[in-house]
């Protein structure tokens, strides 16, 4: 989120502007800012590929459309274009599906220095251990999966009026999963599952909305063991069940 002007640019600005507007930096351009987490160096459009595309896909993973899941594969195809367009629409930007300075500028405002979205933290997504170890995937994979889920939640939070979403927990090691009686194949063991607690949105409100934000697994009221939270996660094939919510 922290945006720093590059020093040569700052020097030029200082000559002509007596009081740089610290509270409102104004429009950002790819060349004039660096972000503490990640800085894009080029405009990205359909046909592009690379790690910068993959970084973009993580940030717009919450905008695949109803029932969709955006691939985080570094290939800017039609699905990525549609997700970028929905992100732009959600934030009142020019919606052309091309990620340039305005889109990146909004992402910089939405991300913390550790690359998590401003309203969610790694600590919330892991109440099990300190290092993301002991699950069904390597620790780095579990943490990376949690990051994608957080960006999906950020999209969902914005769509529901930017009210806080309560996170009860996320990643579990096998030991943590066994301790709470979790299923043997629980997505919590992979880091992408998140249990959402009681908040203004209601459990069914969360479950219903989650269908729009890239969660292939949604379990809520009506599904055994889910009367007191809504569970959202990634998985290879869709499984939604919250019969008390009409899902
Ligand atoms: Zn769960």
């Amino acid at each position: 989120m922290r945006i720093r002007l590059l020093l040569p640019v700052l020097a030029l600005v200082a000559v002509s502007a007596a009081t740089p507007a610290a509270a409102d930096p104004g429009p950002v351009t790819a060349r004039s800012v660096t972000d503490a987490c990640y800085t894009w160096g080029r405009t990205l459009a359909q046909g592009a590929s690379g790690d910068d595309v993959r970084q973009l896909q993580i940030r717009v993973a919450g905008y695949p459309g109803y029932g969709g899941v955006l691939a985080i594969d570094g290939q800017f195809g039609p699905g990525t274009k549609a997700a970028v367009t929905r992100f732009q629409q959600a934030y009142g930007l020019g919606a052309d599906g091309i990620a340039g300075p305005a889109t990146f500028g909004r992402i910089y405002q939405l991300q913390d220095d550790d690359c998590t979205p401003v309203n969610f933290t790694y600590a919330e997504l892991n109440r099990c251990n300190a290092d993301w170890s002991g699950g069904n995937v390597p620790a780095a994979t579990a943490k990376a999966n949690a990051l994608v889920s957080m960006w999906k939640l950020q999209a969902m939070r914005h769509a529901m009026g930017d009210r806080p979403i309560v996170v009860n927990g996320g990643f579990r090691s096998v030991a943590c999963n066994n301790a709470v009686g979790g299923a043997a194949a629980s997505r919590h063991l992979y880091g992408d599952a998140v249990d959402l607690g009681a908040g203004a949105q209601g459990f069914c409100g969360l479950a219903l909305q989650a269908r729009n934000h890239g969660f292939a697994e949604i379990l809520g009221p009506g599904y055994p063991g889910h009367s007191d939270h809504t569970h959202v996660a990634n998985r290879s094939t869709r499984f939604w069940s919250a019969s008390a919510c009409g899902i």
Side-chain angles (χ1 to χ4, degrees):
M1 185 180 187
R2 181 159 46 100
I3 296 172
R4 302 185 303 265
L5 288 167
L6 292 171
L7 286 176
V9 176
L10 183 59
L12 290 172
V13 170
V15 170
S16 58
T19 310
D24 179 10
V28 293
T29 70
R31 293 181 186 279
S32 67
V33 301
T34 58
D35 182 84
C37 159
Y38 184 84
T39 304
W40 282 270
R42 60 172 179 159
T43 291
L44 297 174
Q46 190 166 334
S49 64
D51 188 63
D52 50 0
V53 173
R54 196 180 65 84
Q55 293 288 339
L56 173 65
Q57 289 169 328
I58 292 168
R59 273 58 165 202
V60 299
Y63 293 92
Y66 179 91
V69 177
L70 181 65
I72 312 293
D73 60 3
Q75 305 293 321
F76 198 129
T80 301
K81 181 179 181 181
V84 169
T85 301
R86 290 190 193 92
F87 174 88
Q88 293 167 331
Q89 290 168 338
Y91 286 99
L93 305 173
D96 59 4
I98 298 170
T103 298
F104 295 138
R106 176 57 68 174
I107 292 173
Y108 297 147
Q109 292 175 351
L110 284 173
Q111 72 184 0
D112 285 324
D113 292 355
D114 66 356
C115 301
T116 60
V118 290
N119 297 113
F120 298 92
T121 66
Y122 282 120
E124 286 179 303
L125 272 278
N126 180 358
R127 301 188 192 279
C128 167
N129 61 28
D131 61 4
W132 302 80
S133 66
N136 277 3
V137 289
T141 302
K143 193 173 181 182
N145 288 344
L147 180 64
V148 175
S149 286
M150 280 189 263
W151 280 99
K152 292 176 179 179
L153 288 173
Q154 188 72 32
M156 185 166 139
R157 184 185 191 278
H158 184 57
M160 300 184 83
D162 286 314
R163 294 175 296 180
I165 288 179
V166 176
V167 174
N168 289 346
F171 169 77
R172 296 175 195 155
S173 66
V174 172
C176 288
N177 194 53
N178 289 342
V180 298
S186 168
R187 291 305 305 183
H188 289 286
L189 295 164
Y190 297 82
D192 52 66
V194 189
D195 290 332
L196 306 177
Q201 303 88 352
F203 298 131
C204 284
L206 292 166
L208 291 162
Q209 185 66 35
R211 300 175 299 174
N212 299 298
H213 299 289
F215 292 109
E217 181 169 277
I218 303 170
L219 306 174
Y223 186 80
H226 289 70
S227 61
D228 61 351
H229 69 285
T230 291
H231 163 113
V232 293
N234 187 29
R235 58 182 285 149
S236 57
T237 55
R238 185 191 300 176
F239 183 64
W240 294 347
S241 183
S243 59
C245 309
I247 299 173

